[in-house]
Amino acid sequence: MKKIILSFVFLTTCLLSLPVFSQIENEPVALGLPGDNLNLYAVLDIFQKSKTLEEFERAINSKDRNINNLDLNNDNLIDYIRVVSYRDGGSYSIVLRVAINRSEDQDVAVIEVNKNRYGKIVVQIIGDEELYGEDYIVEPSSENTFGTLNPGYLGNERVFNNTYWNSVFYVNDWPIIINLFSPSFVIYISPWYWGYYPYYWRPWTPVYYYNYWGYHNYYYRNPFYRRTGYIRYPLSYSYYSSRRTSSPIVRRNRVNDAYRRTYEGRTFRRPESPVLPRTREAIPRTRQENAPGNRQPMPRTRQENTPRNRSVHPTAPENRQPMPRTRQENAPRNRSVHPTAPENRQPMPRTRQENAPTNRQSMPRRDNPNQSGERR
């Protein structure tokens, strides 16, 4: 009887806790930053399904898709997101940029597309620090690779899955990636700017964040995309960083909490950040887990107890034999600096006559080359 009662109590507790867990899972989470009103999971999903950058720009600015809810200049109207592309070798930077006024722009995010030396292509979308904080990065996930309905995930032959921070999902078969690396592709820069927008677009009033979360909460639980804590190609990202555009107006509005009204005074919990790749929790341990407790001492190759009266500088042994000297020990002190020739030195023999005769006859002179020395 007692076991039946305990089983009933346990079952009742589990049933009552299910709505609580469901409520926590569906509860909105917020960064508390302007980027809460542009879901990068949804942006990357639209990017994967688009064929060209023009189509991608039109899709993220469509009112029917409810993706763009940004109002960075705080005029109570949705801002138009422009798409600007840069190319550096085999890498592309697809920048999402908003015109704050006639003279200032603000980058929202950048999609980094990189091809490695094996021809495999990797995609990451990186939120701008002003809008999303540091290291807000979303990438395709390699966890669900079999039998999905998403056309961008066709098999695990494109997945390198070693560890969490090294697992890469290659996107060579995405339609927009095929277009980017085709010979006919031309760098795309949106022709629209402040006060001049496409005919099909009209700004609308942004919705509150709680309603916006209701449109996109399923993106945070799907297996197709995930957050990561690091940039896979920092060198390519640095190429974009030198071209990044930031607006002082957005920075001032963020500092002054001008974007807080989108939360209607509510307080939402922050989303969980991914584990960074170089932390102790992420790196697999190859050594013994409990090193301090049962760590074996390292073997010592030198003598354990060295004599304490050992001299710092070694001294020569007392019974050391002197080195043999090859030169004279006591050289004469009256030795001249420059050696002098011996006094009884014989003079050198001379081969020529020392004193030539003074009465040497001169050679006869010829006045005429045809005449001899005597006159006829």
Side-chain angles (χ1 to χ4, degrees):
M1 186 65 181
K2 186 180 295 184
K3 292 182 179 181
I4 297 176
I5 295 175
L6 291 177
S7 301
F8 178 77
V9 171
F10 178 76
L11 182 61
T12 305
T13 305
C14 293
L15 293 176
L16 292 177
S17 61
L18 286 178
V20 176
F21 289 126
S22 178
Q23 184 178 0
I24 293 176
E25 184 180 358
N26 294 325
E27 181 184 354
V29 295
L31 295 169
L33 296 171
D36 285 329
N37 289 289
L38 183 67
N39 187 352
L40 295 188
Y41 291 80
V43 172
L44 189 58
D45 186 62
I46 295 297
F47 182 79
Q48 179 253 319
K49 296 176 181 178
S50 302
K51 296 182 179 180
T52 62
L53 292 180
E54 295 91 337
E55 180 181 339
F56 170 63
E57 179 179 355
R58 181 167 184 169
I60 61 177
N61 287 290
S62 174
K63 183 179 180 180
D64 297 334
R65 294 180 180 267
N66 294 315
I67 295 177
N68 183 9
N69 197 46
L70 287 175
D71 180 19
L72 298 180
N73 56 4
N74 209 23
D75 62 351
N76 203 31
L77 291 175
I78 290 296
D79 301 325
Y80 185 83
I81 301 176
R82 302 169 56 236
V83 174
V84 179
S85 60
Y86 298 101
R87 181 176 183 178
D88 181 27
S91 303
Y92 287 93
S93 297
I94 314 300
V95 184
L96 309 183
R97 186 169 292 169
V98 169
I100 305 302
N101 53 32
R102 295 184 182 275
S103 58
E104 293 186 14
D105 293 336
Q106 173 64 51
D107 287 357
V108 179
V110 57
I111 302 175
E112 289 290 326
V113 182
N114 295 278
K115 178 186 288 187
N116 61 19
R117 59 181 178 177
Y118 302 108
K120 303 298 184 179
I121 300 174
V122 179
V123 167
Q124 284 185 316
I125 184 169
I126 306 168
D128 191 85
E129 185 175 346
E130 287 290 338
L131 277 66
Y132 296 89
E134 295 183 356
D135 300 328
Y136 191 92
I137 306 165
V138 180
E139 66 180 8
S141 174
S142 60
E143 296 179 1
N144 189 354
T145 57
F146 296 97
T148 60
L149 299 178
N150 193 326
Y153 301 86
L154 300 179
N156 64 344
E157 70 277 4
R158 297 181 292 109
V159 179
F160 173 74
N161 194 0
N162 184 11
T163 56
Y164 173 79
W165 57 87
N166 284 331
S167 58
V168 178
F169 194 91
Y170 301 118
V171 295
N172 293 55
D173 55 353
W174 286 10
I176 196 168
I177 298 300
I178 297 174
N179 178 262
L180 284 176
F181 289 92
S182 65
S184 60
F185 175 76
V186 180
I187 292 297
Y188 175 76
I189 298 177
S190 177
W192 317 115
Y193 53 88
W194 173 262
Y196 182 70
Y197 301 111
Y199 67 91
Y200 57 81
W201 186 81
R202 293 289 184 274
W204 62 91
T205 304
V207 299
Y208 289 110
Y209 178 73
Y210 185 85
N211 298 325
Y212 181 76
W213 168 268
Y215 299 145
H216 301 284
N217 61 350
Y218 63 92
Y219 280 108
Y220 298 97
R221 299 191 307 272
N222 70 45
F224 302 133
Y225 307 101
R226 69 176 180 190
R227 276 192 64 185
T228 183
Y230 65 105
I231 299 173
R232 296 191 181 276
Y233 292 87
L235 185 61
S236 300
Y237 181 70
S238 64
Y239 178 82
Y240 155 73
S241 298
S242 61
R243 293 160 175 78
R244 173 180 174 266
T245 302
S246 181
S247 170
I249 294 178
V250 174
R251 186 180 302 109
R252 184 168 57 250
N253 289 342
R254 181 177 60 82
V255 173
N256 296 333
D257 289 336
Y259 303 116
R260 296 294 302 177
R261 64 179 184 177
T262 187
Y263 304 113
E264 300 178 281
R266 302 183 184 183
T267 302
F268 301 99
R269 63 184 180 91
R270 294 178 62 86
E272 296 181 1
S273 300
V275 179
L276 295 179
R278 295 300 180 186
T279 57
R280 293 182 180 272
E281 292 79 6
I283 298 178
R285 296 180 180 271
T286 57
R287 298 182 179 181
Q288 197 172 2
E289 282 292 329
N290 300 323
N294 48 12
R295 188 176 184 180
Q296 299 296 328
M298 295 293 292
R300 298 182 179 273
T301 57
R302 298 184 179 181
Q303 191 176 1
E304 189 73 24
N305 298 322
T306 56
R308 297 185 178 180
N309 54 357
R310 184 177 179 180
S311 176
V312 177
H313 299 283
T315 57
E318 297 179 357
N319 55 354
R320 185 177 181 180
Q321 299 296 329
M323 294 293 293
R325 299 182 179 275
T326 57
R327 297 185 179 181
Q328 190 177 2
E329 190 72 25
N330 297 321
R333 296 184 178 180
N334 55 357
R335 185 177 180 180
S336 176
V337 178
H338 299 283
T340 56
E343 295 179 357
N344 55 355
R345 184 178 181 181
Q346 298 297 327
M348 295 293 293
R350 298 181 180 274
T351 57
R352 296 183 181 181
Q353 192 176 0
E354 188 74 23
N355 297 321
T358 57
N359 55 358
R360 184 178 181 181
Q361 298 295 329
S362 61
M363 294 294 292
R365 181 178 180 183
R366 296 182 180 183
D367 296 332
N368 191 349
N370 297 325
Q371 297 179 357
S372 59
E374 297 182 354
R375 292 179 181 272
R376 294 183 181 178

